Amino acid sequence: MKGRIPLNTVVLRLSECSLFAGIAREEMAAMLDCLGARTKTYERGEYLVRPGDTVHELGVVLTGEVQVVRDDCWGHHSIIARVVAGGLFAEAFACTAQHNVPIGVVAATRTEVLLIDCRKITVTCSQACAFHARLIQNLLRILALKNGSLMDKMGHLTQRSTREKVLSYLSRQSFDAKSEQFEVPFNRQDLADYLSVDRSALSSELGKLRDEGIIEFHKSTFILHAPRV
Amino acid sequence: MKGRIPLNTVVLRLSECSLFAGIAREEMAAMLDCLGARTKTYERGEYLVRPGDTVHELGVVLTGEVQVVRDDCWGHHSIIARVVAGGLFAEAFACTAQHNVPIGVVAATRTEVLLIDCRKITVTCSQACAFHARLIQNLLRILALKNGSLMDKMGHLTQRSTREKVLSYLSRQSFDAKSEQFEVPFNRQDLADYLSVDRSALSSELGKLRDEGIIEFHKSTFILHAPRV
DNA sequence: TGAAATCGGTTGTTTTTACAACGTAATTGA
DNA sequence: TCAATTACGTTGTAAAAACAACCGATTTCA
């Protein structure tokens, strides 16, 4: 396999990745070879995918974190999603071999990724490797789940005011954490970019919500007292 | 097959549906039987899926049109997507057998649909019907494309102002129509709900854009003079 | 045909946001 | 350790949106 990351390290990471669920570690080396997978490392701030690229490979985040972003013609920067270790990026575009993708993928930290040509997954190979069917089913499930999370995010974006957006987001985080107290994985600017609101407006709205006793927060730790939406 | 719609009518519709691409018409009767598919008819305004439902079946729109909608706790109604003949709905939730779905699906016109239990698609059946693999691949492609359209829609929602949202939307419609002139498939209220803006604000913004010579419109026919975004 | 409902534009008021600018605290890194 | 950078809250102002209310035109349908 191409890339500088040791094979057993890669296999270890992949064993916890939902794309490879149900595939034995012993099979993985052969599988990676058949898929023509390669590893690559990016520094914080580097682009893995640029708007306008043609994408054939999907990416698996082995370590670190990437953000799927979009900059529009009015100069706004927005964060569509974050992908942490075990997650996939660009898989929807790779599956349809999309030209001129509208999004970018940028490393939020130093990041190691595995890149796999999607055609190698969806087109069953001549050796009729046993894992193909499983990979396709896993990919199907991942795409379905991602559809769900895109809809969740839309639930925040469709809110009219900054207050509603941030409450919608915090409620969701609280729900996912199964706790009134939780960490948000963004700094203020990134949270604003994620919710498509102004940073200073976000800050002041958070201040108001605190004054009203609805939330408490310190840095990225939040406590939501309000009934969860 | 259960339902009151004649089989050959269903087969004719399905032959133009991307879920069944690559499947011969002669095979379809047997396939529908194996899948346990059933047809159903809804009147305008009827709900096909309600928020909170557990969904196992995906739907294929045979005739008519449905809207995927979401009503939030603040009383806002928003339209996530519209699905016309040949399109699928609820497939992402059905694939993951999701409980308590956050969305509703409502008939925008009188609508005939085909309902298929997703487990019958993804789990290859004992007869090892030849079409299963093809269905799964088609479904994969559809989910990937839908991911893309959700991202497109987010591109509109992430715009800050009503003006930017509507221009972003109209640019896209113009691009898709490959023409400066095009029809939008919404009335004003629905367009506002789709873009998550106030209807009267949308109306007055459209008026301003017309006064500035950027667009022309009559009812749902628009002409966009501005360079496409 | 006529009443009712829907649709779309307009206006005015109140609320909210975006934007820019500034200060302080925390973090980074040479 | 000190300087530079980044992060975060705050404030003021101008712009924009939300909301409600209204009106005329069109469509629906009994």
Side-chain angles (χ1 to χ4, degrees):
Chain A
M1 193 181 59
K2 285 164 78 176
R4 292 178 200 158
I5 305 170
L7 182 60
N8 10 356
T9 310
V10 173
V11 168
L12 188 63
R13 306 265 182 232
L14 293 187
S15 63
E16 297 178 7
C17 169
S18 54
L19 179 60
F20 301 102
I23 292 174
R25 291 194 193 178
E26 302 78 51
E27 292 184 78
M28 285 204 188
M31 180 192 69
L32 291 173
D33 191 50
C34 168
L35 294 174
R38 63 199 178 100
T39 60
K40 209 164 170 187
T41 303
Y42 295 86
E43 299 303 321
R44 173 182 163 86
E46 264 192 285
Y47 274 77
L48 292 75
V49 176
R50 289 174 192 283
D53 282 357
T54 298
V55 172
H56 286 291
E57 289 174 315
L58 63 79
V60 183
V61 176
L62 300 173
T63 62
E65 176 189 333
V66 302
Q67 291 180 341
V68 183
V69 300
R70 184 167 184 151
D71 297 284
D72 63 45
C73 58
W74 282 283
H76 295 299
H77 175 83
S78 62
I79 297 172
I80 298 176
R82 44 189 296 277
V83 183
V84 296
L88 266 55
F89 60 88
E91 74 285 350
F93 299 116
C95 279
T96 56
Q98 184 149 350
H99 300 288
N100 207 0
V101 297
I103 54 95
V105 178
V106 59
T109 65
R110 187 167 203 277
T111 303
E112 296 172 327
V113 299
L114 182 76
L115 300 170
I116 305 173
D117 191 318
C118 227
R119 292 166 290 194
K120 292 284 182 63
I121 295 179
T122 54
V123 178
T124 319
C125 71
S126 49
Q127 282 86 2
C129 301
F131 54 78
H132 269 102
R134 183 70 201 220
L135 278 187
I136 293 174
Q137 294 216 356
N138 289 344
L139 195 50
L140 190 73
R141 182 177 179 79
I142 289 167
L143 280 171
L145 288 172
K146 218 154 235 203
N147 249 294
S149 32
L150 285 174
M151 291 214 193
D152 281 342
K153 175 161 192 209
M154 283 223 290
H156 307 139
L157 290 182
T158 54
Q159 301 301 326
R160 302 303 216 271
S161 63
T162 298
R163 162 176 285 240
E164 287 168 0
K165 281 182 182 138
V166 66
L167 278 178
S168 173
Y169 174 77
L170 293 177
S171 298
R172 179 72 202 197
Q173 293 300 113
S174 173
F175 179 82
D176 287 345
K178 297 184 181 64
S179 163
E180 287 203 330
Q181 179 170 336
F182 51 91
E183 296 273 322
V184 307
F186 292 118
N187 64 32
R188 291 289 183 281
Q189 181 65 62
D190 282 357
L191 181 55
D193 289 341
Y194 184 75
L195 296 176
S196 280
V197 297
D198 184 70
R199 184 193 61 80
S200 68
L202 172 64
S203 259
S204 78
E205 198 58 53
L206 287 174
K208 284 182 202 165
L209 288 168
R210 175 167 51 192
D211 295 344
E212 296 172 30
I214 297 172
I215 65 173
E216 294 175 54
F217 61 91
H218 176 69
K219 304 207 179 187
S220 292
T221 305
F222 285 76
I223 301 174
L224 177 64
H225 294 300
R228 298 180 204 146
V229 181
Chain B
M1 191 181 58
K2 286 163 78 176
R4 292 180 201 157
I5 306 169
L7 181 61
N8 8 358
T9 310
V10 173
V11 168
L12 186 63
R13 305 265 182 232
L14 294 186
S15 63
E16 296 178 7
C17 168
S18 54
L19 178 60
F20 301 102
I23 293 174
R25 291 195 193 178
E26 301 77 49
E27 293 184 78
M28 284 203 188
M31 179 192 69
L32 292 173
D33 190 51
C34 169
L35 294 174
R38 63 198 177 102
T39 60
K40 209 166 170 185
T41 303
Y42 295 87
E43 299 302 321
R44 172 181 164 86
E46 265 194 283
Y47 274 76
L48 292 76
V49 176
R50 289 175 191 281
D53 282 357
T54 298
V55 172
H56 286 292
E57 290 174 314
L58 64 78
V60 183
V61 176
L62 299 174
T63 62
E65 176 188 333
V66 301
Q67 290 180 342
V68 183
V69 301
R70 184 167 185 151
D71 296 285
D72 64 45
C73 58
W74 282 282
H76 294 299
H77 176 83
S78 60
I79 297 172
I80 298 176
R82 47 190 295 277
V83 183
V84 295
L88 267 54
F89 60 88
E91 74 287 348
F93 299 116
C95 279
T96 57
Q98 184 149 346
H99 300 289
N100 206 359
V101 297
I103 53 93
V105 179
V106 60
T109 65
R110 185 167 204 277
T111 303
E112 296 171 326
V113 299
L114 182 77
L115 299 170
I116 304 173
D117 191 319
C118 226
R119 291 166 291 194
K120 292 281 182 64
I121 295 180
T122 55
V123 177
T124 319
C125 72
S126 50
Q127 282 85 0
C129 300
F131 54 78
H132 270 100
R134 184 69 202 224
L135 277 188
I136 293 174
Q137 293 216 357
N138 289 345
L139 194 50
L140 189 72
R141 181 177 179 79
I142 289 167
L143 279 170
L145 288 172
K146 222 158 231 202
N147 249 296
S149 30
L150 285 174
M151 292 214 192
D152 280 342
K153 175 161 189 207
M154 283 223 288
H156 307 139
L157 290 181
T158 54
Q159 301 301 326
R160 301 304 215 271
S161 62
T162 298
R163 162 177 285 242
E164 288 169 359
K165 282 181 180 138
V166 65
L167 278 179
S168 172
Y169 175 77
L170 293 177
S171 299
R172 178 71 200 196
Q173 294 300 111
S174 173
F175 178 83
D176 287 346
K178 297 184 181 65
S179 164
E180 288 203 330
Q181 178 168 336
F182 51 92
E183 295 274 322
V184 308
F186 292 118
N187 63 31
R188 291 290 184 279
Q189 181 64 62
D190 283 356
L191 181 55
D193 289 342
Y194 184 76
L195 296 177
S196 279
V197 297
D198 182 71
R199 183 191 61 81
S200 67
L202 171 64
S203 256
S204 79
E205 198 60 53
L206 287 174
K208 284 182 203 165
L209 288 168
R210 175 169 49 193
D211 295 345
E212 296 172 30
I214 298 172
I215 65 174
E216 293 175 53
F217 62 92
H218 176 69
K219 304 208 180 190
S220 293
T221 306
F222 285 76
I223 300 174
L224 177 64
H225 294 301
R228 297 180 205 150
V229 181

